[in-house]
Amino acid sequence: MSQTSPGDRVDEALADSGLPTPDVVIEPDADRLARSVASALVARLAAAQAVHGTASVVVTGGGIGTAVLERVAELAAEPEHAVVDWAAVDVWWGDERFVPVDHPDRNELGAREALLGKVPLDPERVHPIPSSDAGFDEPEEAAAWYAEQLAAAAGDGETLPRIDVLMLGMGAEGHVASIFPDSPAARDERPVVAVRDCPKPPPTRVSLGFSALAAAEEVWLLVSGEAKADAVAQALGGASPLEIPAAGARGKQATRWLLDTAAASKLPRE
């Protein structure tokens, strides 16, 4: 009798999901990309609040992710763009480095400097992944705690809350969050996973898993630079999430690939 691995189940779930075809938006350069995404994010959060009264976003680190948050902060300071009630926005993280809270590698630190410290968020609605000095000896403990926080925010016995927009960067080899190609995290079905021996420093991390990424209403992949063009083309060309994890990042309502020209340079020309 044949056996099905977790990785096979990920592939099958994507094939049978009936999810919408990903949208691809291409901007001339990284700066234009960051500004475009920032405007779209403000509009999307405002729209979510108009329907639900609140909005929720998963933020990402990296150069383009931080640039987007900086542009959002600029928009928030302009009266004509003050359309988001920041006190009613929940902020989560897609992944985090398991290092001390003030370590420069922390995604949380970059997000707070770029945006979170500049808008009037409710501290109770900001949900950072624990640092290594927050009372958790092992990343597995931090991952379990973060999964509990997500479930508590969801309520009604659900595992994950409503996430309106989940933003992800992508590495040159196709990783998203801290899910790297052919890694244990790429085969893990839990919503939050500990990552050890990561091929990119720092080696120990905590990351949302594929099941959490797939629970978001919209997944936005923010990618800039020619070094990532091959992985973009493979992900959009049907690669396995085990080989190119970005291919497995799919939202329930929409998946948007937001690229600059360099990152899109290997896509087929129509």
Side-chain angles (χ1 to χ4, degrees):
M1 182 174 63
S2 64
Q3 294 183 337
T4 303
S5 72
D8 291 333
R9 289 198 291 273
V10 169
D11 284 341
E12 291 170 3
L14 285 169
D16 298 335
S17 66
L19 293 172
T21 301
D23 298 320
V24 178
V25 177
I26 303 172
E27 297 290 347
D29 54 46
D31 182 65
R32 288 280 293 276
L33 176 61
R35 294 181 183 279
S36 174
V37 174
S39 296
L41 180 60
V42 167
R44 183 66 183 84
L45 295 178
Q49 289 182 339
V51 174
H52 304 288
T54 63
S56 54
V57 61
V58 172
V59 298
T60 184
I64 192 66
T66 301
V68 167
L69 298 184
E70 291 172 346
R71 300 292 88 77
V72 171
E74 292 174 1
L75 292 175
E78 299 173 0
E80 64 269 30
H81 295 292
V83 295
V84 175
D85 177 4
W86 290 101
V89 174
D90 280 282
V91 180
W92 302 87
W93 272 260
D95 74 325
E96 188 56 276
R97 289 75 181 271
F98 196 61
V99 293
V101 68
D102 58 353
H103 195 286
D105 284 340
R106 286 276 295 179
N107 287 331
E108 178 192 357
L109 187 62
R112 290 189 183 278
E113 291 176 349
L115 173 64
L116 308 187
K118 300 177 180 178
V119 292
L121 291 160
D122 178 351
E124 296 297 318
R125 290 182 174 272
V126 179
H127 311 279
I129 295 173
S131 58
S132 62
D133 54 357
F136 299 94
D137 294 330
E138 305 293 343
E140 289 80 7
E141 296 174 4
W145 181 88
Y146 206 60
E148 291 172 358
Q149 302 309 298
L150 287 161
D156 298 325
E158 296 293 327
T159 303
L160 297 160
R162 187 192 81 252
I163 299 295
D164 296 301
V165 178
L166 187 150
M167 296 191 294
L168 294 167
M170 188 194 74
E173 76 297 275
H175 87 267
V176 288
S178 285
I179 306 174
F180 284 79
D182 199 28
S183 67
R187 295 175 169 82
D188 201 312
E189 298 177 340
R190 291 174 295 178
V192 189
V193 298
V195 178
R196 292 180 178 272
D197 301 318
C198 178
K200 184 177 180 181
T204 307
R205 306 180 178 201
V206 175
S207 178
L208 296 188
F210 276 133
S211 63
L213 304 187
E217 296 299 308
E218 297 187 14
V219 170
W220 296 6
L221 293 111
L222 323 177
V223 190
S224 67
E226 187 176 1
K228 302 179 181 182
D230 283 330
V232 168
Q234 291 177 63
L236 286 168
S240 164
L242 286 177
E243 298 173 355
I244 304 290
R250 301 286 295 274
K252 292 192 295 184
Q253 299 298 325
T255 303
R256 304 182 68 194
W257 282 79
L258 305 166
L259 314 171
D260 66 7
T261 301
S265 61
K266 299 294 180 66
L267 293 177
R269 296 180 180 272
E270 295 185 356

